[in-house]
Amino acid sequence: MLLPGLLMELLRNTKAWPLGPTKGVLLAALALSLLGICLGGGVSLWFDEALTVTDAFHPRGINHNPGFYGLILACMEFGGGVVDERGVRLLSAVATLISLPLCYFAFLPLAGARRSAWASFVLAASPWVLQWATNGRPYAVGLMVSLLGTAVLLRALLRDGPKGAALGLGLMGLAGTLQLSMLVAPMALVGALLLSPLLGLRPAPRVRHMCLLGTPLLLIPLAFIFAGDLGIYLAQKGEISGFYGLKHFVLASGFALTPVLGLCALWGVWRAHKERQEVVLLLALACVLGAVSVAAVGWFGQVTAQYVFCLLPFVVLLAVWPLRDGLGWAYGSILILPLMALSALEVGPWHGSRPRWREAFAHVQSQRAPGDLVLSMQAGLGDLYTQPGWTDARYPLAHAWADRTQPMRIVDAARLDRACWLILRRDFLVKWPARERAVLEHILARQAKQVLLLEGSPPGRDMSLEVYRLFPSGEREGRERVPF
């Protein structure tokens, strides 16, 4: 009866939406999001999206979310079976557009129509949301499912209903089957419910009692399920850890969240405290617990802002909480305009905060001779762009890997009497062993010429690509040969 009741409430609220400012804010949110998706959806793919294509066409049983890749494949087939940016990202775009009215509906009983509409508007203006709306990864779809669970959970918390809370947390956990990091939100909410009395908060005591009894039963199987995945992840991401791992997470999260939104959220926490809004303060505590948990993992291996993306709706609600009659559009403008400016940069000179791989591969493809060797740090993505019909980025044919896992490929290429091209993202060299990096730098200085530099990086992040031509032995006169 819980889900049918929620559906009936959604229909009643849809019919009751006013024709005035609230509906105008919602329509503005949808229009803004659609504009950003149309403008930003054509930027270059990045390697994780190439893996999305691979796992959609060649499922090998290595992913926990085959349903997502099946939907991606259906979207590409809907577009005629062509592997391009818009087909890969169609599902994320649709999920983002659905998330905006869902955000309004989720927060409606807690925040009221005005604040909930503004929360949707802030989500639509966020460059972080725009980035995942134009990205063929599970985050946008996961956010949509998580917001559905949030809608159920908040209604249960307000009436202290354990069954509804269990269903809401379960739906939020379902987002974890799309992307494991989406589990941060429901786990942080459970932790906040359990710890809330320490801060003098006692919202929904029956729900808290349910969590107190049920959490130990869930933690044991979850530990067995995810401990192995976490171990594999840390083994792959161990190059940046300790203080540097923590610094990377803090800077990446601060950039994605933006300082203005973060400061407004802190003001919202203060306002909710003054008004004694315990459920709102519970969401704030969940944000802190979620962020601290991910940061703790970052001490042992690199983590980035995307792992706390699921907490963004809670932060947005906190940011719009100070809205009241005396502020209105003035405060809304303080929130919206900086986000809109950043989103404009995102779809413009920052190129979606992604390296311009498509342009780099296109340049090399137009300049290379038939026998030239091409090495790249993202070789599988190169085959997707230059070999029509090829969809397996894990096993490229036309491009050779030149990443941290196979650094000797570049040394081997430098020894050949054969022209060679190298597409390099210098920021990736941070993860290379010192010896291999020194050898590469020596090769670039003595045997190579930079023929193209593709810039367009957001502040604090180096997304630049460098294209080099390595000279064969017959063209090395006057150059020092590298001693291997």
Side-chain angles (χ1 to χ4, degrees):
M1 294 296 294
L2 290 169
L3 285 177
L6 187 70
L7 180 60
M8 292 302 297
E9 183 184 347
L10 175 61
L11 293 174
R12 284 197 302 271
N13 281 285
T14 302
K15 293 177 181 177
W17 280 356
L19 296 175
T22 299
K23 190 171 185 179
V25 171
L26 280 169
L27 291 175
L30 287 167
L32 180 62
S33 183
L34 184 60
L35 177 63
I37 289 169
C38 291
L39 293 176
V43 299
S44 174
L45 296 171
W46 61 311
F47 185 64
D48 281 14
E49 289 180 288
L51 293 181
T52 294
V53 174
T54 298
D55 293 335
F57 281 94
H58 310 280
R60 295 183 171 99
I62 60 176
N63 294 293
H64 67 276
N65 49 359
F68 169 77
Y69 294 103
L71 290 172
I72 288 286
L73 182 59
C75 288
M76 288 188 284
E77 289 177 346
F78 177 77
V82 178
V83 177
D84 61 8
E85 292 83 2
R86 299 192 184 277
V88 174
R89 296 164 179 166
L90 177 60
L91 182 60
S92 295
V94 172
T96 300
L97 293 174
I98 294 174
S99 294
L100 299 178
L102 194 55
C103 175
Y104 169 85
F105 178 68
F107 294 141
L108 187 60
L110 176 63
R114 190 159 175 268
R115 283 169 170 157
S116 299
W118 274 99
S120 296
F121 199 2
V122 173
L123 271 186
S126 169
W128 202 6
V129 172
L130 176 61
Q131 183 184 35
W132 292 117
T134 56
N135 204 309
R137 299 302 285 168
Y139 292 95
V141 184
L143 182 67
M144 179 185 69
V145 176
S146 185
L147 280 170
L148 178 60
T150 301
V152 178
L153 176 64
L154 290 182
R155 283 158 177 79
L157 289 174
L158 291 173
R159 65 172 182 268
D160 196 13
K163 291 182 180 179
L167 177 61
L169 289 170
L171 288 171
M172 295 181 76
L174 189 62
T177 64
L178 296 166
Q179 172 54 242
L180 284 176
S181 66
M182 288 288 165
L183 290 173
V184 170
M187 293 175 68
L189 280 166
V190 171
L193 279 164
L194 296 177
L195 296 176
S196 57
L198 299 178
L199 300 178
L201 303 174
R202 297 187 179 275
R206 293 170 60 208
V207 174
R208 178 177 175 272
H209 184 67
M210 177 202 70
C211 292
L212 193 61
L213 294 176
T215 298
L217 298 177
L218 289 174
L219 282 180
I220 295 174
L222 284 175
F224 279 106
I225 293 172
F226 299 119
D229 289 338
L230 182 61
I232 294 172
Y233 175 85
L234 292 177
Q236 295 174 340
K237 300 287 186 176
E239 300 92 343
I240 299 177
S241 58
F243 173 76
Y244 293 102
L246 184 61
K247 177 183 175 183
H248 176 84
F249 171 69
V250 170
L251 292 178
S253 301
F255 178 84
L257 187 65
T258 74
V260 171
L261 188 58
L263 290 173
C264 289
L266 290 176
W267 187 16
V269 173
W270 181 80
R271 290 279 301 165
H273 173 70
K274 298 292 286 186
E275 298 171 11
R276 202 58 190 173
Q277 293 284 344
E278 291 195 325
V279 175
V280 178
L281 294 174
L282 185 75
L283 297 180
L285 178 57
C287 290
V288 173
L289 292 177
V292 169
S293 300
V294 175
V297 176
W299 187 262
F300 301 97
Q302 179 184 354
V303 295
T304 56
Q306 65 201 55
Y307 301 124
V308 291
F309 177 66
C310 56
L311 300 175
L312 180 61
F314 303 157
V315 176
V316 166
L317 178 66
L318 294 171
V320 302
W321 197 259
L323 274 169
R324 60 184 189 273
D325 293 337
L327 292 175
W329 281 93
Y331 181 75
S333 299
I334 293 174
L335 269 174
I336 296 295
L337 292 179
L339 294 175
M340 290 179 62
L342 289 172
S343 292
L345 291 170
E346 186 78 9
V347 301
W350 291 352
H351 301 278
S353 292
R354 270 155 263 180
R356 296 157 67 182
W357 292 107
R358 180 178 57 199
E359 295 175 49
F361 289 121
H363 177 82
V364 172
Q365 190 71 4
S366 66
Q367 299 295 319
R368 61 177 295 196
D372 289 358
L373 178 65
V374 181
L375 297 99
S376 170
M377 288 184 164
Q378 305 280 273
L381 180 56
D383 271 30
L384 256 64
Y385 271 125
T386 62
Q387 307 299 310
W390 187 255
T391 55
D392 198 341
R394 286 190 169 89
Y395 300 99
L397 292 178
H399 295 75
W401 291 104
D403 61 3
R404 62 191 173 95
T405 66
Q406 302 181 60
M408 292 304 293
R409 286 286 186 92
I410 297 176
V411 175
D412 293 339
R415 290 171 170 161
L416 296 175
D417 290 333
R418 177 182 178 187
C420 177
W421 300 81
L422 172 63
I423 303 175
L424 170 75
R425 181 178 166 188
R426 194 167 289 272
D427 188 51
F428 282 169
L429 295 180
V430 174
K431 300 181 179 182
W432 279 44
R435 180 181 179 279
E436 282 77 2
R437 181 172 180 172
V439 171
L440 171 62
E441 296 285 3
H442 195 83
I443 291 173
L444 294 180
R446 303 294 183 180
Q447 292 183 224
K449 176 183 179 183
Q450 186 184 104
V451 296
L452 183 66
L453 174 64
L454 294 171
E455 297 180 306
S457 303
R461 303 174 67 190
D462 187 3
M463 299 286 181
S464 300
L465 294 180
E466 302 171 18
V467 179
Y468 290 89
R469 185 172 183 272
L470 273 65
F471 296 95
S473 59
E475 299 180 28
R476 290 181 191 154
E477 295 180 6
R479 294 176 181 268
E480 178 184 344
R481 188 175 179 86
V482 177
F484 297 115

